[in-house]
Amino acid sequence: MAPPHNPRRLGVWLIGARGSISTCLVYGLAGLREGLLEPTGIITAKDPFTRMRLVDLDALVLGGHDVCQRDLSHSAGELVRHGILSSDLIVAGSGLAAEYEKAIRPGTLDDSDVGFADLDSRAARLSSRPPRDQIAALTADLADFKRDHKLDRVVVVNVASTEAFRGQRDEWESLVAFEAALDAGKSQPASLLYAYAAIAAGSPYVNFTPSRGASIPALRELARERRVPHCGNDGKTGETLVKTVLAPLFTARALKVLSWQGYNMLGNRDGAVLADSAHKETKVRNKNEALRQLLGDENLHTHVGIDYVPSLQDWKTAWDYIHFEGFLGAKMSLQFTWTGSDSALAAPLVIDLVRLADLAQARGEVGEMPHTAAFFKAPIGGGTHDFHAQFLALLAYAERHNSARHRA
Ligand SMILES: NC(=O)c1ccc[n+]([C@@H]2O[C@H](COP(=O)([O-])OP(=O)(O)OC[C@H]3O[C@@H](n4cnc5c(N)ncnc54)[C@H](O)[C@@H]3O)[C@@H](O)[C@H]2O)c1
């Protein structure tokens, strides 16, 4: 079989460039390139994906936006203290990290987040400008990155902090209405401006966060118009992954789930952001929806708790209690606990999504990428939340692509 070699230079633009996921991605890539790490957790490093001629990991060039002053070495130091990154990796990744740091630009942020402590004043200034100016600045950063690094294409990934929840707005319902709101200078959540900038620049856009990103109808329309693929929302890495594996078991055995309680404790920056109720609301909505759909019960009693426990650092623990009923009305329960490093679970999925988004663009695919549903808590294209069915759809996509390539 042909190796997945590809000599192109592919830009990966990370929104949230100095966060834990981005930091794990940079040092993880360096470790893979130096042969210090196995590609554990990277599904595209396994058959049948290895036969798809996806972009080679050596071809990835990193850059991004952030709004904080904290430099990457600080984020890396945190992850060393949390037991996620080893000192060998820090040494091996120092060159790549230094190049990446140079390619980070100040981004923009929401009105509701402007108060946060470690804010880069350039980002605060950009966010006070009209939305059209903000989009122009973000798009110019992408163009400079592409030109300065002689890149063939750039994939944009949102791994920034979760935004506060905002109710639906009329102007998000169509592209015409959204453009009019931008022209009128009406302020918009930062994730929409980033997504608009990426799509307008012709870059595939991946929304790994629960923020709205490109999922509003107006931006889905823009993506179709500009013929750009995009996917999201909210990486499925831990508790929700397990839930969407387990829930179909109850339906398949005609067992009646009476209630499903889930509690998450986490201690990283993501946890600190989610401690705020408006930001937590954005996350909890995604976590609840999957269960209701899979169990076919709109009135199911569910609860998702998310608590910030600083001493846990990047290690998230979830405990779920599932109360269910069988024949004769017998009441039973299933419980699971999951303890995972959030960022180490997420970074390989980002690598997979970058490769798949680049392939989608190379194949001329446009709009939502339904085959990537297995990666997300709230897949933009809808469809089932059943992880097994989602994964089979991804395998079928890979096999279709491989057969078409062999026929050509
Ligand atoms: N397993 C996981 O870790 C996982 C799973 C699903 C979703 N997510 C989501 O991924 C995102 C990143 O997670 P993380 O653990 O790396 O968080 P983090 O807090 O370590 O990093 C987020 C980074 O985004 C930056 N940022 C905040 N607002 C920004 C803006 N408007 N523009 C640009 N940068 C901005 C912050 O300064 C920070 O450096 C979060 O939204 C999280 O909910 C994570």
Side-chain angles (χ1 to χ4, degrees), residues 15-22 65-68 70 75 78 107-110 113 116 118 158-163 190-191 194 208-211 234-238 268-270 273-274 283 314 316 341-343 345-346 377:
I15 305 163
R18 296 193 177 101
S20 299
I21 297 180
S22 296
H65 282 124
D66 207 306
V67 294
C68 66
R70 186 185 67 248
S75 304
E78 280 174 357
T108 188
L109 75 166
D110 267 39
D113 291 329
F116 82 74
D118 156 31
N158 183 5
V159 275
S161 311
T162 302
E163 281 172 354
S191 74
Y194 282 118
F208 204 78
T209 79
S211 307
D234 201 3
K236 181 154 91 169
T237 53
N268 57 14
R269 256 186 317 273
D270 188 27
V273 170
L274 296 176
K283 193 78 164 184
D314 196 56
K316 173 149 90 187
S341 153
D342 248 9
S343 321
L345 287 163
K377 292 191 193 77

Side-chain angles (χ1 to χ4, degrees), residues 63-82:
H65 282 124
D66 207 306
V67 294
C68 66
Q69 302 183 55
R70 186 185 67 248
D71 66 14
L72 201 68
S73 60
H74 183 97
S75 304
E78 280 174 357
L79 290 165
V80 171
R81 285 193 297 282
H82 299 177

Side-chain angles (χ1 to χ4, degrees), residues 5-80:
H5 178 71
N6 194 323
R8 289 172 294 126
R9 285 169 68 75
L10 179 73
V12 180
W13 190 262
L14 300 163
I15 305 163
R18 296 193 177 101
S20 299
I21 297 180
S22 296
T23 308
C24 281
L25 183 62
V26 179
Y27 287 94
L29 258 187
L32 288 165
R33 287 178 185 173
E34 298 290 320
L36 292 173
L37 293 179
E38 296 290 316
T40 312
I42 302 178
I43 190 67
T44 52
K46 296 186 73 169
D47 191 65
F49 306 102
T50 43
R51 288 182 279 125
M52 292 174 86
R53 287 189 151 266
L54 294 164
V55 63
D56 198 283
L57 297 186
D58 288 340
L60 304 185
V61 179
L62 306 177
H65 282 124
D66 207 306
V67 294
C68 66
Q69 302 183 55
R70 186 185 67 248
D71 66 14
L72 201 68
S73 60
H74 183 97
S75 304
E78 280 174 357
L79 290 165
V80 171

Side-chain angles (χ1 to χ4, degrees), residues 227-239:
R227 307 198 56 72
V228 170
H230 67 100
C231 59
N233 288 349
D234 201 3
K236 181 154 91 169
T237 53
E239 187 211 16

